Amino acid sequence: MLTILLYLIVMALVGGMIFLAASAVFGRSEELPPLPPGTTAAVLPAEGVTSADVDALRFQQVLRGYKASEVDWALHRLGMEIDSLRAQLEARSDAAPEVEGQEAAAVSGSEAAAVSERPEDV
């Protein structure tokens, strides 16, 4: 019985040494170095975030993390809100040149009316 226990201990030690040697030689099989603590692989553009950017976000899953379906729902909702706000902004910026053009026409029309109302100096 002692012999079997001795064989098991020796096999566990040899197996552990082989594992450590393989880990030292081959690493953790990662293509990229690990991320620094406190950072994430989630990326958003610095400007011009769209709903597609928000929908494409993926977060690391942890043991006690958030429920993935709830995070996806919230990100989708935020993306739709971003698109809605961008559409409103574009509509206002498209309407602004028309308003400026109407104001300029009104000013030039009032100047023409003021000129025609002046008595002529003879």
Side-chain angles (χ1 to χ4, degrees):
M1 185 69 158
L2 184 62
T3 308
I4 294 175
L5 183 61
L6 187 60
Y7 282 141
L8 288 176
I9 292 173
V10 170
M11 284 178 32
L13 287 174
V14 170
M17 293 177 73
I18 290 173
F19 174 76
L20 289 175
S23 295
V25 171
F26 299 113
R28 298 186 312 186
S29 300
E30 292 182 353
E31 294 179 14
L32 299 173
L35 293 173
T39 61
T40 180
V43 177
L44 282 174
E47 294 180 1
V49 177
T50 63
S51 65
D53 296 326
V54 176
D55 284 339
L57 276 177
R58 294 293 175 253
F59 299 98
Q60 294 179 6
Q61 292 185 348
V62 295
L63 181 63
R64 297 187 58 158
Y66 295 104
K67 193 173 183 180
S69 61
E70 291 177 356
V71 173
D72 290 342
W73 173 82
L75 291 176
H76 180 70
R77 177 121 187 254
L78 289 172
M80 297 304 289
E81 183 69 20
I82 288 171
D83 283 346
S84 171
L85 293 173
R86 285 191 181 278
Q88 290 175 9
L89 184 61
E90 286 179 20
R92 286 188 182 177
S93 65
D94 290 344
E98 294 173 5
V99 171
E100 289 175 6
Q102 291 172 355
E103 289 174 356
V107 169
S108 64
S110 64
E111 288 175 358
V115 170
S116 65
E117 292 177 3
R118 277 193 250 159
E120 293 188 24
D121 294 331
V122 184

